[in-house]
Amino acid sequence: MDTDSSDLFGPLLDKPVAAVVPVLVPLPVPGPYSYAVPEGLTVVPGSVVQVPVGPRQMIGVVWDGADDSTLDPKKLRPITLAFDCPPLSKEMRDFVDWVSAYTLSPPGFVARMAIRAPAALDPEPMVEGLRFVGGEPARLTPARTRVLDLAKEQEAPWTRSGLAHAAGVSLSVVDGLIKQGVFDTIFLPPPPVVARPDPDYTAPRIEGPQKGAAEEIVASVSAGGFAASLIDGVTGSGKTEVYFEAIAQALRQDKQVLILLPEIALTSSFLDRFEQRFGAKPAEWHSDLSPRIREKVWRGVVTGEVRVVAGARSALFLPFEDLGLIVIDEEHDPAYKQEDRVFYNARDMAVVRARIGDFPIVLVSATPSVESQVNGLSGRYTTVHLPTRFGDAALPDLHLVDMRRHPPERGGFLSPILLRGMKKALERGEQSLLFLNRRGYAPLTLCRVCGHRFQCPQCSSWLVEHRFRNQIQCHQCGYHEHTPEACPECGTFDHLVACGPGVERIAEEVEKHFPEARTIVMSSDLLGGVKRLRMELDAIAKGDVDIVIGTQLVAKGHNFPLMTLVGIVDADLGLSNGDPRAAERTFQLLSQVTGRAGRTGLKSHGLIQTFQPQHPVMQAIVSGDAGAFYEREIAEREKAILPPFGRLASLIVSADTRADAETHARGLRAAAPRVTGISVLGPAEAPLALVRGRHRFRLLVHGRRNSDMQAFLKAMMSAGPKVRGTVQIQLDIDPQSFL
DNA sequence: AGCACGCCGACT
DNA sequence: GTCGGCGTGCTC
């Protein structure tokens, strides 16, 4: 780019003195800012730089395109410095632009997700190493002899502390030898974070239907180019082994691989399985990595030293040097949705990344999302079915318990049938799992005298009693107080009554029936954090517990060999919470929970307590045939999204209180009169994700086509002064729009 | 996003 | 009379 100064100096300076480049900065602005490139600094699109913004310095990325700023080029501030790291590739930049446009989020925010390891932007310093030069020190002591023996034994360079430690001597002994010239110091590249996985470390453990499936997927990896496959296999059918073969193939072709997992599934057992197959662990990427490891992994990914990353959704934005395959395990899992700052579903954005990078992607689930199912049926994804369990594991025998015909005793929630099943399991020394997706003791407390209901003062949803902690809590905003002894309305003592069950209340009922059994409640309330959780899970796996009562925390990842009975306490819970995905989510959750049983060959059962035994979800669960269920869900989704408002979107408006939501909805109706599908939900009815956190209101937007959605949202936002403020939008779109 | 500036209620 | 609440505007 030319400037005035080059004309001024004419032949004296035939190279441009300065240039102006667009730089994406992490601000909520619609495009890049312009900066001057100081003399002597070379930047290209993708370069990671530091720039002044107001009084502060920020990390930004030099972006594509001519600078279209109307500002006076002489007044532009200069780039402070350029980091010594590879620039973001064109593919990565295209991906950032695409995600920004699709999610209606500022491009600088999206770009920031790719460079979220600031200290890693400059190369790691070389580490000091010791090289054995030879010769002997003037005086040979026993300690010095030990060091020398070791050094002669192993040629490879040592570190100072490593050598001292291995020889069992103090650092001063080694330092003495360095002084004597027996060792000299050299600089070595830092050791890699993880070893290189070997695609042929062990032979694949696949047989029967797995074999054909693996061949199909491996073929699409060999062929290269974009292709999306959906592996649809029941729990325990060997899905992991099948996609491991796709990974092996990508590694043989010298490509990097990304495995996305829902946060919670990033367990040591997955990493161990990977190591058994490939001889090395994958690099991990998730929110609670230490900064040190985080930098090393980021650097390794950028330079290509790290070949495989297993990570949570944020790993999708890692700037791989040469990514050649993405695997998305538990494809249906809602944890792939990010619902702050940039709203995105990592599963959908991963498909886009594969498309832009022109490489294959594999989606994996026992209970695919309706969107993926549609894409499979329409042929956009190649579906691979794995209908049977691997080896000797049999699927549990599932039965519905009609609660109208088999009511629990007064004040209880467990049917006689379920209690009988638990008793038998206990007698055989086997374990039972009772699943209820509700924390605490009771979801609602009321006063029997005046009818007062305990409501959150901040957000108007019911306060949930937690008896273990002697608190009543709001599950929406985190408000809590001591459980009161008297009604705050009428002052009456001892007439507060708990309504409905939570896991704590179920535990009470279990203890009444089986006082001798070893019982544990597993929920996110469990004190002691992740460490305690892991300990308890190990204890359960070892058989130290007879009865587990758990929320969805127990649905994932862990195998309990002695678990032969799964009881769903209230299968209908969650079917009527206002979420258009309620049925789908319930089906997925119940499949996952019942799948916990019978994974080691013991005969196992599932008892599903329901008031709606004819409901399609219940029928799909017990029959094991989800076909009809999906067909109905797809039809319902079409109905919900399309008519009666044609191609315009439908909106769900929610806020901290129902009254607030209604006020905002009025504003939205005025601004967008053509949208007839505005539904208003209070915090108690809305999907949890929709109302969590402090905000004025939040929209859940459903639409058929992304372009329509964008046009609609922009029109709506600019239409009326009544819809200004912190509008948070969750796009919820059929992914066919980007394929 | 952060940060400064600016205008109305309960307080040393 | 002030301290401080958060509404509004700006950053190349």
Side-chain angles (χ1 to χ4, degrees):
Chain A
M1 202 163 294
D2 232 1
T3 66
D4 297 338
S5 48
S6 60
D7 291 329
L8 252 168
F9 291 103
L12 280 176
L13 282 172
D14 54 6
K15 61 175 192 252
V17 170
V20 177
V21 289
V23 176
L24 276 189
V25 284
L27 291 174
V29 289
Y33 279 174
S34 303
Y35 284 88
V37 183
E39 202 177 342
L41 194 74
T42 316
V43 291
V44 295
S47 294
V48 184
V49 294
Q50 196 179 72
V51 289
V53 179
R56 287 167 303 150
Q57 294 287 321
M58 286 181 168
I59 293 173
V61 186
V62 176
W63 218 239
D64 300 84
D67 177 71
D68 59 351
S69 159
T70 52
L71 299 166
D72 180 357
K74 286 189 199 125
K75 292 202 178 139
L76 295 179
R77 304 175 74 181
I79 291 172
T80 311
L81 59 93
F83 289 97
D84 184 10
C85 74
L88 295 193
S89 65
K90 182 73 172 78
E91 274 168 28
M92 200 61 203
R93 273 146 33 220
D94 286 347
F95 180 54
V96 168
D97 280 334
W98 200 99
V99 172
S100 159
Y102 185 82
T103 60
L104 303 169
S105 7
F109 283 9
V110 181
R112 182 176 52 184
M113 298 196 292
I115 47 171
R116 264 279 168 86
L121 294 173
D122 282 322
E124 273 190 89
M126 302 280 248
V127 289
E128 207 181 49
L130 296 181
R131 193 167 55 98
F132 182 47
V133 180
E136 296 222 328
R139 216 159 354 126
L140 206 55
T141 64
R144 287 180 167 181
T145 312
R146 283 208 299 277
V147 174
L148 287 173
D149 286 348
L150 265 171
K152 282 172 194 159
E153 211 172 283
Q154 192 191 305
E155 288 278 333
W158 293 87
T159 60
R160 254 173 91 240
S161 58
L163 182 55
H165 190 257
V169 301
S170 76
L171 273 172
S172 61
V173 176
V174 177
D175 288 342
L177 288 167
I178 295 170
K179 231 185 201 156
Q180 302 259 333
V182 177
F183 292 99
D184 62 3
T185 46
I186 50 169
F187 287 93
L188 303 164
V193 234
V194 281
R196 245 184 136 79
D198 173 5
D200 302 304
Y201 180 75
T202 47
R205 275 186 54 241
I206 48 175
E207 59 181 43
Q210 280 82 31
K211 211 157 190 169
E215 277 162 15
E216 207 171 313
I217 306 264
V218 166
S220 93
V221 175
S222 310
F226 174 75
S229 316
L230 172 63
I231 304 181
D232 167 10
V234 295
T235 44
S237 61
K239 297 187 289 290
T240 311
E241 283 71 20
V242 170
Y243 74 67
F244 275 0
E245 291 325 294
I247 292 170
Q249 185 58 27
L251 290 175
R252 284 185 206 109
Q253 290 173 225
D254 232 17
K255 294 286 185 183
Q256 285 173 296
V257 176
L258 169 63
I259 308 164
L260 288 184
L261 301 161
E263 187 96 23
I264 200 157
L266 258 172
T267 54
S268 55
S269 75
F270 174 83
L271 302 175
D272 291 344
R273 263 170 101 180
F274 186 93
E275 190 179 14
Q276 280 162 26
R277 172 64 182 81
F278 295 104
K281 285 195 167 80
E284 286 178 65
W285 187 266
H286 49 80
S287 55
D288 44 47
L289 281 183
S290 75
R292 183 96 190 87
I293 301 290
R294 196 177 195 77
E295 287 158 25
K296 276 177 157 277
V297 172
W298 191 87
R299 194 86 205 164
V301 167
V302 177
T303 58
E305 173 197 298
V306 166
R307 305 313 293 171
V308 181
V309 174
R313 59 171 186 255
S314 61
L316 180 63
F317 290 90
L318 285 169
F320 286 86
E321 192 242 344
D322 187 16
L323 187 58
L325 173 69
I326 300 179
V327 175
I328 306 183
D329 205 351
E330 308 290 352
E331 162 278 319
H332 63 277
D333 198 293
Y336 286 122
K337 276 188 178 173
Q338 171 144 94
E339 285 163 336
D340 56 74
R341 294 178 183 89
V342 180
F343 288 57
Y344 67 92
N345 186 327
R347 179 243 295 153
D348 296 344
M349 295 309 100
V351 175
V352 174
R353 186 159 186 188
R355 170 119 235 170
I356 291 174
D358 198 33
F359 57 77
I361 180 164
V362 180
L363 292 85
V364 185
S365 177
T367 52
S369 61
V370 170
E371 295 91 326
S372 296
Q373 199 72 253
V374 167
N375 286 327
L377 290 171
S378 70
R380 276 186 296 267
Y381 297 170
T382 307
T383 309
V384 178
H385 290 285
L386 293 172
T388 53
R389 277 197 165 181
F390 186 81
D392 62 349
L395 284 167
D397 206 0
L398 301 178
H399 296 281
L400 296 176
V401 178
D402 186 342
M403 294 303 272
R404 294 165 305 186
R405 290 170 48 203
H406 307 281
E409 61 184 60
R410 213 180 146 68
F413 301 92
L414 304 175
S415 65
I417 297 184
L418 181 50
L419 287 169
R420 204 182 313 136
M422 293 167 70
K423 184 159 180 277
K424 279 191 199 153
L426 260 178
E427 285 164 2
R428 282 196 300 265
E430 295 166 3
Q431 291 171 321
S432 303
L433 169 66
L434 296 187
F435 174 77
L436 176 66
N437 206 13
R438 202 190 260 144
R439 289 152 51 208
Y441 185 85
L444 169 68
T445 309
L446 52 81
C447 171
R448 216 177 335 190
V449 176
C450 71
H452 172 76
R453 297 170 165 211
F454 285 79
Q455 213 171 19
C456 175
Q458 293 175 16
C459 69
S460 82
S461 45
W462 303 136
L463 290 171
V464 180
E465 183 183 354
H466 286 244
R467 211 160 267 196
F468 292 174
R469 293 185 183 204
N470 196 27
Q471 275 184 348
I472 47 177
Q473 292 180 9
C474 172
H475 284 182
Q476 239 61 247
C477 68
Y479 172 88
H480 57 90
E481 59 181 271
H482 264 292
T483 308
E485 285 164 26
C487 172
E489 199 68 29
C490 65
T492 318
F493 278 81
D494 298 329
H495 279 76
L496 299 180
V497 44
C499 297
V503 279
E504 292 178 5
R505 196 169 193 176
I506 298 301
E508 193 180 79
E509 190 174 346
V510 166
E511 268 150 39
K512 197 180 86 195
H513 284 99
F514 309 104
E516 74 292 352
R518 296 163 300 174
T519 303
I520 185 171
V521 174
M522 300 290 288
S523 79
S524 54
D525 295 325
L526 192 75
L527 299 167
V530 182
K531 224 171 165 186
R532 166 88 186 278
L533 179 70
R534 208 159 278 172
M535 259 174 51
E536 300 292 5
L537 290 169
D538 286 347
I540 297 168
K542 275 200 317 222
D544 294 347
V545 172
D546 300 311
I547 300 168
V548 181
I549 299 143
T551 60
Q552 61 182 19
L553 204 76
V554 296
K556 276 181 197 157
H558 309 278
N559 285 339
F560 306 121
L562 291 170
M563 192 73 76
T564 59
L565 176 70
V566 172
I568 310 290
V569 176
D570 182 359
D572 309 328
L573 183 79
L575 276 178
S576 55
N577 66 357
D579 187 341
R581 284 186 172 70
E584 179 188 353
R585 288 286 305 126
T586 303
F587 171 69
Q588 287 159 348
L589 198 54
L590 296 189
S591 299
Q592 243 171 17
V593 176
T594 52
R596 292 298 102 212
R599 301 197 60 166
T600 43
L602 285 175
K603 181 82 199 124
S604 64
H605 302 271
L607 294 170
I608 298 153
Q609 300 194 150
T610 175
F611 284 92
Q612 311 170 58
Q614 295 311 315
H615 195 286
V617 169
M618 306 308 154
Q619 292 299 314
I621 291 283
V622 281
S623 69
D625 174 17
F629 169 71
Y630 277 112
E631 220 170 277
R632 177 179 170 277
E633 272 307 294
I634 292 166
E636 288 288 313
R637 196 70 62 85
E638 297 267 319
K639 258 201 303 203
I641 291 173
L642 286 173
F645 27 85
R647 283 161 37 152
L648 282 189
S650 65
L651 306 177
I652 295 177
V653 184
S654 181
D656 291 340
T657 67
R658 174 174 269 282
D660 284 353
E662 267 157 14
T663 308
H664 295 305
R666 267 198 298 280
L668 291 170
R669 284 198 189 97
R674 284 188 60 205
V675 179
T676 50
I678 297 182
S679 22
V680 183
L681 297 177
E685 312 102 332
L688 197 60
L690 197 62
V691 291
R692 198 180 290 141
R694 274 184 60 196
H695 55 267
R696 289 193 193 130
F697 67 104
R698 193 177 283 189
L699 306 177
L700 179 66
V701 185
H702 295 269
R704 178 61 176 243
R705 294 239 310 260
N706 188 46
S707 51
D708 295 338
M709 301 283 297
Q710 288 187 21
F712 160 73
L713 282 166
K714 279 180 190 155
M716 194 185 75
M717 293 312 161
S718 57
K722 294 182 189 80
V723 275
R724 284 168 61 215
T726 358
V727 182
Q728 295 188 312
I729 301 154
Q730 181 185 333
L731 292 171
D732 220 338
I733 309 166
D734 185 328
Q736 67 180 312
S737 55
F738 53 69
L739 287 175

